[in-house]
């Protein structure tokens, strides 16, 4: 099992309910394929560096998970099929990046307290 991180941007015209349903759909998809969810973060509405589909902002979400490598292609295909997803990026983390991600999660938890 490889360690992955996926950041995706949802269309800003979606309602809160639609956003939660879409995020839940992708989380359920990963779990159904045997993924171990490590963390998920909602980064909220952010301004884009450049317009995508004539939109200047989007809702950012991050998933960190462990999954077999052959399942990633099918996972990304689900992103391409969903009209509410404007962009996505999945990267495989090596041991150094995974350690950095752990430190980042701890910093986020410390700032929320």
């Amino acid at each position: 099992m490889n360690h992955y991180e996926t950041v995706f941007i949802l269309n800003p015209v979606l309602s809160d309910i639609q956003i939660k349903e879409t995020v839940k759909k992708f989380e359920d998809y990963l779990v159904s394929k045997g993924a171990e969810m490590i963390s998920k973060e909602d980064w909220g509405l952010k301004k884009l560096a450049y317009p995508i589909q004539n939109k200047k902002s989007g809702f950012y979400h991050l998933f960190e998970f462990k999954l077999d490598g052959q399942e990633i292609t099918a996972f990304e295909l689900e992103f391409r099929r969903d009209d509410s997803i404007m962009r996505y990026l999945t990267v495989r983390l090596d041991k150094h990046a995974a350690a950095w991600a752990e430190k980042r999660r701890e910093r986020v938890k410390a700032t929320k307290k």
Side-chain angles (χ1 to χ4, degrees):
M1 297 246 276
N2 295 323
H3 196 141
Y4 292 98
E5 202 172 67
T6 297
V7 175
F8 56 98
I9 306 171
L10 293 163
N11 198 320
V13 299
L14 299 174
S15 69
D16 286 341
I17 294 169
Q18 290 172 316
I19 291 170
K20 288 177 184 174
E21 287 173 352
T22 304
V23 170
K24 181 78 173 133
K25 177 179 88 169
F26 288 109
E27 182 181 4
D28 291 345
Y29 179 84
L30 284 173
V31 171
S32 74
K33 296 297 181 183
E36 173 192 336
M37 292 299 289
I38 296 171
S39 78
K40 61 179 184 168
E41 296 178 20
D42 175 4
W43 291 350
L45 183 67
K46 300 217 181 262
K47 185 177 177 199
L48 302 172
Y50 55 89
I52 301 173
Q53 301 171 359
N54 296 321
K55 308 284 190 294
K56 296 184 181 193
S57 61
F59 291 100
Y60 281 69
H61 286 271
L62 169 86
F63 284 168
E64 191 176 336
F65 56 95
K66 290 185 179 181
L67 184 66
D68 288 330
Q70 59 241 42
E71 300 292 340
I72 291 298
T73 305
F75 178 54
E76 290 184 339
L77 180 62
E78 291 297 316
F79 279 126
R80 286 193 289 275
R81 288 180 177 160
D82 195 325
D83 291 336
S84 61
I85 302 294
M86 294 175 18
R87 286 283 192 277
Y88 65 91
L89 177 66
T90 301
V91 293
R92 187 173 65 97
L93 304 179
D94 63 5
K95 64 180 180 179
H96 303 293
W100 183 87
E102 176 66 31
K103 289 178 187 175
R104 182 185 51 76
R105 280 195 312 273
E106 290 174 6
R107 275 196 310 258
V108 168
K109 284 181 186 176
T111 58
K112 287 184 179 180
K113 290 183 180 179

